[in-house]
Amino acid sequence: MHILVTGFEPFDGSPVNPSMLAAEALAQTPPPGLAVTTAILPVDRLGSPTRLLEALQTVNPRAVVCLGEAGGRAAISIERVAVNLMDYRIPDNRGETVTDQPIDPAGPAAYFSTLPVRAMQEAILAAGIPAELSLTAGAYLCNQVMYTLLHHLAQTGQTIPAGFIHLPSLPQQAVLRGKPMPTLGLETILAGLRAALAVLARQAVL
Ligand code: PCA
């Protein structure tokens, strides 16, 4: 089963983004039963949706899992819903800030993830790794990518599982920030994501 996994480039002054490192590692060593193609998205209002849609066209995947970093969260956080809103807390990597704007003025207010979110959470927890279901992906680029993904699939009549998973920051990012914050090591994040993606592989076989 061929899936697309996206990550984001670093942002907010950090030299790394766990989502980029995790997406690249998953492509190199995919979970059993899956072939993983990775796309790294820019943290850029226009560039990230464009790059995502290009990757969808090129890869034609059977499922899509987008990854991003959520600094301050302590668990792998499976997003349930994307909202039609851009309200940036900080500028994007091109210095642009968007406030109180819809992603698509003609689009619906929100989309639910079509990933098996509960089964994925349970699989991660069963691997001994903290995981939670989240009701908000924020109103920044991660939410925008999740909304763009689900809106595009809905409009093109594709019923493949698709959604977004937020990752905690890495320990080295907490060290660089110089203040205590929740983190998970990359190996732990990867073990959790492998357990979550294995759910997709199992469901595809059923
Ligand atoms: N996290 C940001 C955008 C890029 C990333 O990794 C977010 O949560 O919107």
Side-chain angles (χ1 to χ4, degrees):
M1 181 192 189
H2 198 164
I3 68 168
L4 173 65
V5 176
T6 71
F8 274 105
E9 67 182 11
F11 70 109
D12 197 18
S14 178
V16 292
N17 187 325
S19 68
M20 176 173 149
L21 301 180
E24 287 172 349
L26 287 169
Q28 268 172 20
T29 320
L34 293 177
V36 175
T37 297
T38 300
I40 304 305
L41 309 180
V43 179
D44 160 355
R45 183 172 76 87
L46 302 173
S48 61
T50 308
R51 181 77 195 86
L52 170 73
L53 296 178
E54 276 170 10
L56 278 175
Q57 281 220 321
T58 326
V59 178
N60 192 22
R62 299 273 59 84
V64 186
V65 178
C66 296
L67 305 174
E69 174 187 2
R73 291 200 196 173
I76 296 181
S77 207
I78 304 163
E79 299 296 346
R80 284 181 184 272
V81 58
V83 295
N84 190 3
L85 174 70
M86 294 180 284
D87 191 40
Y88 292 2
R89 184 180 50 83
I90 53 171
D92 70 11
N93 280 354
R94 289 162 57 97
E96 285 201 47
T97 305
V98 189
T99 307
D100 296 343
Q101 296 295 318
I103 295 166
D104 182 340
Y111 282 99
F112 285 114
S113 172
T114 56
L115 294 174
V117 293
R118 179 73 66 188
M120 284 178 144
Q121 182 204 14
E122 283 167 0
I124 300 170
L125 292 172
I129 294 160
E132 63 187 0
L133 297 181
S134 162
L135 274 177
T136 176
Y140 192 49
L141 272 302
C142 290
N143 173 71
Q144 190 175 333
V145 157
M146 183 179 175
Y147 186 92
T148 302
L149 168 68
L150 294 167
H151 191 43
H152 173 79
L153 294 176
Q155 286 197 312
T156 52
Q158 297 180 68
T159 54
I160 59 173
F164 200 96
I165 300 179
H166 260 125
L167 308 173
S169 300
L170 299 168
Q172 61 264 40
Q173 292 178 285
V175 173
L176 284 174
R177 291 239 152 97
K179 59 167 194 191
M181 62 189 287
T183 61
L184 274 187
L186 184 60
E187 284 311 314
T188 307
I189 288 175
L190 280 171
L193 290 175
R194 287 210 169 88
L197 295 180
V199 174
L200 289 177
R202 278 201 297 278
Q203 292 195 345
V205 180
L206 294 176

